[in-house]
Amino acid sequence: MTPNPYLWLIPVLPLAGAAINGFFGRHSSKKAITTIALIFPGAAFLLALFIASRFSSASAPYYYDLAQWIRSGSFHADFSFYLDQLSLVMLLAVTGVGFLIHIYSVGYMWDDDGYYRFMSYLNLFMFFMLTLVLAKNYLLMFIGWEGVGLASYLLIGFWFVKDSAASAGKKAFIVNRIGDFGFLIALFLLIKHFGTLDFTALFSKIQSMSPENAGVGLLTSIGLLLMVGAAGKSAQIPLYVWLPDAMEGPTPVSALIHAATMVTAGVYMVARSHVIFERAPTAMTVVAIIGTLTALFAATIGIAQTDIKKVLAYSTVSQLGYMFMACGVGAFSAGIFHLMTHAFFKGLLFLAAGSVIHGVGGEQDMRKMGGLRTYMPWTFATMGIATLAIAGIPPLAGFWSKDEILWRAFGVNWAYWLIGVVTAFITSFYMFRLMYLTFGGEYRGGPAAHDVKHQSADARAMHDKASHGGHGHGEPHESPWVMLGPLVILALLSLIGGFVGYGNRFEHFLATAFQSPAQEAVHEATENSVEYMLMGVSVSVAFLGWILAYLLYSRRPELPGRIAQSLGALYRAVSNKYYVDELYALLFVQPVVEGSSAILWKGVDQGVIDATVNNTADAARHTSDNLRHMQSGNIRSYAGWVAAGGAIVIAYMIWMGVR
């Protein structure tokens, strides 16, 4: 490993911005807040580019030991940063896309009263995410892991006066704690059996172990527990339910959490732990199955959503499933490749959705949009590019990474490939459905679209901005360039970003970080002719999804309503997300609430705490009441009490003298 004196600065810079705006932003001008909020993450991005320009695979990995941290017997964990090919890709994605979201937020949140607080939270989020990515050991990774959970809670519930936003923040926090419990148990097992959490030392010990054949081994248990943590953070079955509700946060938060940052932390952790998973085939299979089922399950829900941000939320869950599918079949490079391209086109999709919401005064229901291509040409063009990319249309970025995953999955098990292809078809369909409902036809909005009495806090904020911006009543308009600039940059990356994988260059770059024999086996097992055939199938289903969306939502827009009515209960189930939230509420939430009410409130709070206080007060009252009767005002009574007291004292002295 080669020391690098600049690594520690990358996460510290956003932390400085968060601290300055957090402590002094309330009394600062918005220009000063903006300068601080942009200059520090911007400097982190430039420093990341500088380090990337000097990066050498021959000298990697790089490290920097900032401070000694924990010493307990033979166990120690330092506050150290670590940069190899894998963390470099994550570093550039987090700082690059994150900085663009910061710029976009300036235009989107400028009129909000909590502007300084929002920008401080964004900087704080970036600090914790960079700490997670650059950590040299699992313990420091866990600090960043918990930190992004905290920052996401603050950002999702940013408009905390609205119950739905506050509840969504709490839901994200609690569900993530469930996954984090599994992550912690895995770390305890690693400490007990290997005595270290340092990546280099730990993986060198594990590499000498043989792959486990049984499903009850140590590495299998550790791998499954790590996957529990990853499922919570990256919203996989059964812990995905927090992510769609996170749409209650401002749109820049949706882009930040769902694009290159928080939700990809689980994928990064599994990829970083590839040495463990490669020696635990059962755990690998579980990762592949969960990822594959999540990809299909979430995609089917996206078909029937009418909220533009909810469609993108379930799309994120589905695309994360693709990444876990790739990791589960041993194609870690393909999973990280899709993570990178997903950061481009999904970040663009969310920011473009925010531009749409901004342009129509806060409306998020696609049924009240339509015809926006003439009002918002830049938003339409950039969002169209992102849609082509996520649908897998060549030669855009999503085509290269998704095709790589499907090809690798086919080499391991054709069932993964088949489900992945079906998911690709559904993805193409619901994304082009979004485009036709939002931008096609004629504008269906009006005064009703701007009645924000019952809309989200995000929608109300956008309505207030539109009302004061001179855009008239219900007239859509294009967003300012401070918001469009990031869209154009991300659109360019979505167009050409996939070419870094041409000729397996991206995989070769990650070869040192991923020394996976499973990937080589897939290479040998799949002929070029088969690869081209699979590519043709995936591209064909993408176009089929596009054609079906065109027929239903452009040529015959009356058909979807008839189809939904004919499907009856099935359509209602999909539209209501298969009632999973209601099922969880029935099985878990209500028993906990009722149990806590019966045991904690009535049993502990009322029966013990309140009873102790109340009984003490009652005893004091009764005692004082009895003593009060002694104060009768009768002289002979007082003399009697004095005589009795004197007798007791004399008796006591005689008794002591006898002893």
Side-chain angles (χ1 to χ4, degrees):
M1 290 191 293
T2 305
N4 188 306
Y6 304 111
L7 278 180
W8 69 278
L9 275 173
I10 296 179
V12 167
L13 284 169
L15 178 62
I20 294 172
N21 273 335
F23 287 118
F24 307 110
R26 182 187 295 270
H27 306 291
S28 302
S29 67
K30 287 191 174 180
K31 289 184 177 179
I33 295 168
T34 302
T35 301
I36 296 298
L38 295 184
I39 196 170
F40 283 98
F45 175 53
L46 292 176
L47 184 56
L49 289 176
F50 173 76
I51 291 176
S53 68
R54 301 291 186 90
F55 187 87
S56 171
S57 295
S59 302
Y62 298 87
Y63 74 96
Y64 185 82
D65 297 326
L66 186 62
Q68 291 185 349
W69 190 13
I70 295 177
R71 294 288 187 273
S72 179
S74 60
F75 175 79
H76 66 90
D78 295 329
F79 208 101
S80 302
F81 297 110
Y82 176 91
L83 185 73
D84 64 353
Q85 291 84 348
L86 173 59
S87 50
L88 179 62
V89 172
M90 293 293 298
L91 176 65
L92 293 174
V94 171
T95 56
V97 177
F99 180 57
L100 291 175
I101 294 171
H102 276 70
I103 296 174
Y104 179 94
S105 300
V106 173
Y108 197 88
M109 299 296 295
W110 182 264
D111 293 332
D112 195 277
D113 293 336
Y115 179 72
Y116 82 94
R117 187 164 49 91
F118 184 82
M119 301 307 286
S120 177
Y121 290 167
L122 285 186
N123 282 189
L124 183 66
F125 186 99
M126 184 171 284
F127 160 70
F128 281 122
M129 190 66 199
L130 290 172
T131 300
L132 187 158
V133 167
L134 291 173
K136 191 172 180 286
N137 55 69
Y138 276 113
L139 190 58
L140 185 57
M141 176 189 279
F142 189 74
I143 297 298
W145 187 275
E146 292 295 287
V148 296
L150 169 64
S152 67
Y153 164 75
L154 296 173
L155 287 167
I156 293 169
F158 177 75
W159 283 308
F160 52 84
V161 295
K162 191 170 189 295
D163 289 340
S164 59
S167 298
K170 289 185 289 186
K171 186 175 184 179
F173 194 81
I174 293 170
V175 173
N176 272 271
R177 297 294 75 73
I178 297 171
D180 296 348
F181 178 76
F183 194 179
L184 268 177
I185 300 299
L187 299 191
F188 294 154
L189 289 175
L190 289 172
I191 293 172
K192 177 172 178 58
H193 293 278
F194 299 100
T196 182
L197 294 177
D198 181 84
F199 294 143
T200 303
L202 177 65
F203 295 156
S204 64
K205 292 181 179 181
I206 295 177
Q207 281 176 336
S208 62
M209 301 175 65
S210 301
E212 294 178 344
N213 295 321
V216 293
L218 172 64
L219 296 182
T220 299
S221 300
I222 293 172
L224 292 175
L225 288 167
L226 290 176
M227 183 55 197
V228 172
K233 194 67 72 182
S234 293
Q236 298 294 286
I237 291 174
L239 301 178
Y240 72 93
V241 291
W242 68 267
L243 192 144
D245 286 11
M247 296 298 100
E248 287 292 335
T251 298
V253 174
S254 304
L256 188 68
I257 291 176
H258 299 159
T261 49
M262 176 177 167
V263 293
T264 60
V267 180
Y268 170 74
M269 185 262 281
V270 171
R272 175 61 71 194
S273 309
H274 68 98
V275 175
I276 297 174
F277 283 96
E278 288 167 354
R279 285 155 184 79
T282 301
M284 286 270 283
T285 302
V286 171
V287 172
I289 292 174
I290 289 178
T292 304
L293 294 180
T294 302
L296 178 62
F297 180 77
T300 60
I301 297 178
I303 294 175
Q305 300 305 304
T306 55
D307 185 314
I308 188 171
K309 289 175 66 177
K310 285 291 180 71
V311 175
L312 298 180
Y314 283 104
S315 170
T316 298
V317 177
S318 181
Q319 296 303 306
L320 289 166
Y322 270 112
M323 299 175 205
F324 279 101
M325 181 202 300
C327 292
V329 299
F332 295 101
S333 295
I336 297 300
F337 186 22
H338 196 58
L339 183 155
M340 183 189 72
T341 61
H342 180 264
F344 301 152
F345 59 70
K346 184 53 65 66
L348 174 55
L349 284 168
F350 271 110
L351 295 185
S355 179
V356 169
I357 295 168
H358 176 275
V360 296
E363 183 59 66
Q364 295 181 202
D365 191 334
M366 296 183 296
R367 294 170 298 183
K368 298 178 182 179
M369 297 180 185
L372 297 182
R373 64 190 182 281
T374 57
Y375 297 97
M376 312 175 67
W378 283 97
T379 301
F380 168 64
T382 53
M383 197 170 195
I385 290 173
T387 300
L388 292 171
I390 193 175
I393 304 298
L396 283 82
F399 158 75
W400 299 95
S401 55
K402 188 179 293 185
D403 181 70
E404 183 81 4
I405 292 174
L406 293 175
W407 172 40
R408 298 303 178 84
F410 183 84
V412 174
N413 190 319
W414 66 268
Y416 297 147
W417 172 83
L418 180 60
I419 296 175
V421 167
V422 173
T423 303
F425 168 76
I426 298 174
T427 301
S428 177
F429 171 74
Y430 69 65
M431 285 307 306
F432 283 106
R433 167 182 176 266
L434 180 151
M435 289 296 295
Y436 287 119
L437 283 175
T438 305
F439 297 99
E442 300 298 327
Y443 182 55
R444 298 181 295 275
H450 295 272
D451 179 9
V452 294
K453 181 178 179 181
H454 301 292
Q455 287 180 349
S456 68
D458 198 359
R460 290 201 305 271
M462 289 302 99
H463 174 260
D464 293 340
K465 293 171 72 173
S467 299
H468 293 90
H471 296 294
H473 299 285
E475 180 183 345
H477 59 90
E478 187 63 277
S479 299
W481 273 102
V482 70
M483 294 170 62
L484 292 179
L487 300 188
V488 174
I489 295 172
L490 288 172
L492 181 62
L493 291 172
S494 298
L495 276 171
I496 65 174
F499 285 99
V500 299
Y502 183 76
N504 290 326
R505 285 179 296 181
F506 190 80
E507 181 180 354
H508 292 156
F509 175 73
L510 292 176
T512 304
F514 297 131
Q515 298 174 353
S516 173
Q519 291 189 22
E520 296 302 323
V522 172
H523 267 303
E524 297 172 3
T526 311
E527 299 292 339
N528 286 336
S529 58
V530 177
E531 178 187 358
Y532 292 136
M533 181 191 71
L534 299 179
M535 182 189 302
V537 172
S538 63
V539 172
S540 298
V541 298
F543 277 106
L544 285 175
W546 184 355
I547 293 170
L548 182 60
Y550 170 74
L551 293 175
L552 291 179
Y553 293 96
S554 181
R555 297 290 294 177
R556 299 288 301 278
E558 75 283 357
L559 280 181
R562 295 179 185 175
I563 295 173
Q565 187 174 5
S566 65
L567 291 176
L570 177 60
Y571 178 81
R572 288 193 296 273
V574 176
S575 180
N576 288 283
K577 292 121 13 186
Y578 298 110
Y579 303 102
V580 173
D581 285 300
E582 290 80 0
L583 179 63
Y584 282 11
L586 180 64
L587 295 179
F588 305 112
V589 179
Q590 290 181 10
V592 169
V593 172
E594 293 173 0
S596 62
S597 175
I599 298 174
L600 295 179
W601 177 46
K602 294 182 180 179
V604 177
D605 189 32
Q606 290 187 332
V608 177
I609 299 174
D610 288 350
T612 300
V613 175
N614 294 334
N615 291 339
T616 301
D618 289 342
R621 187 178 68 253
H622 290 310
T623 302
S624 64
D625 186 60
N626 292 329
L627 292 175
R628 180 172 57 84
H629 290 295
M630 296 173 62
Q631 307 297 321
S632 63
N634 190 317
I635 300 298
R636 283 183 292 182
S637 175
Y638 292 161
W641 283 112
V642 170
I648 292 173
V649 172
I650 293 171
Y652 175 75
M653 295 176 65
I654 293 173
W655 180 70
M656 291 296 294
V658 172
R659 291 186 63 187

